[in-house]
Amino acid sequence: MTERAALITGGSSGIGLAIGRALGQDGYGITLSARRPDKLEAAAQSLRDEGFDVAAVPANMAQEEDIRRLAAAHRERFGRLDVLINNAGIGIGSTVADTVTKKLDLQLDVNLRGVYLMARECIPMLKEAGAEHGKALIANTSSYAGKHGQGWLSAYSATKFGVVGLSQALHKELSGDGVQVTALCPGFVATDMTDWIEGQVPKDEMIRAEDIGEAIRFVLRTSTHCIVPEIQFVRPGDSEL
């Protein structure tokens, strides 16, 4: 068994994969999860090729049974959980007037309900780690859109505001048990998810996925008496602060 272990949803690319690499470099055993098995296994193998201990567990964050199975698989493989990264998310652009209910429900299920249920299933393991060393961590990926509502991304914005509120509530429930909770609120990050805006914001001017990985390292390296409830990541010139 490893001395520390992390579970990362939305881990097959972008922010999740960058966090996985950072934690792997720091000696964590990692359960990497995403919806598409082929893409997930390729990502996990890329980390294994760097010498990291990585398990790949496909799961759909809109399905409660998948979430339960993922948490159980992580416990069976690593026996402990020190860091939970709730990173899986989906954004579908639309005005409120034109939103299809099915697409609204999908964003609510993955971006908010899935984060809630994943946290619920992992809290017992996180409390065990918190009791051991006082610095277990839940990091929930919200968004700049979770701080400033974005037109044409109304459902996405609403779910990401919800992630910030959920993170604050989890902090109040868990901080006394050595489990810290941080909401991550990045602007445009150079990942596949921001391909749609590349014509307006070039990828080489976006936040790097590795920046988010370094933020996780920072939070984990602070003392047990230092809690970081939220981190916003913005580009130079972003005005809504």
Side-chain angles (χ1 to χ4, degrees), residues 54-131:
V54 181
V57 182
N60 182 343
M61 291 297 104
Q63 301 296 325
E64 183 174 358
E65 282 307 307
D66 279 17
I67 291 171
R68 291 180 181 274
R69 179 175 51 81
L70 172 57
H74 175 87
R75 181 185 279 277
E76 181 177 357
R77 172 65 184 272
F78 292 107
R80 63 180 301 123
L81 180 61
D82 303 270
V83 178
L84 170 63
I85 308 292
N86 276 314
N87 179 65
I90 184 171
I92 303 172
S94 175
T95 63
V96 173
D98 295 328
T99 295
V100 176
T101 303
K102 181 179 179 179
K103 293 181 179 180
L104 167 64
D105 290 344
L106 179 60
Q107 292 175 91
L108 290 167
D109 285 347
V110 174
N111 296 356
L112 185 55
R113 180 176 178 269
V115 174
Y116 192 109
L117 295 180
M118 195 75 247
R120 184 189 71 186
E121 294 305 309
C122 291
I123 282 171
M125 286 187 285
L126 290 162
K127 283 186 174 182
E128 290 169 10

Side-chain angles (χ1 to χ4, degrees), residues 6-24:
L7 192 166
I8 303 170
T9 70
S12 62
S13 63
I15 292 172
L17 184 57
I19 293 173
R21 178 168 286 108
L23 292 177

Side-chain angles (χ1 to χ4, degrees), residues 13-19 87 141-145 156 184-198 201-215 231-235 238:
S13 63
I15 292 172
L17 184 57
I19 293 173
N87 179 65
T141 301
S142 178
S143 170
Y144 187 74
Y156 180 78
L184 306 171
C185 303
F188 294 124
V189 180
T191 68
D192 293 344
M193 197 170 180
T194 53
D195 286 349
W196 64 277
I197 198 69
E198 192 172 1
V201 183
K203 283 284 176 72
D204 61 3
E205 295 181 9
M206 292 184 185
I207 298 159
R208 317 310 297 174
E210 293 76 14
D211 296 332
I212 317 301
E214 289 301 316
I231 304 177
Q232 293 189 45
F233 306 78
V234 299
R235 299 183 309 113
D238 281 346

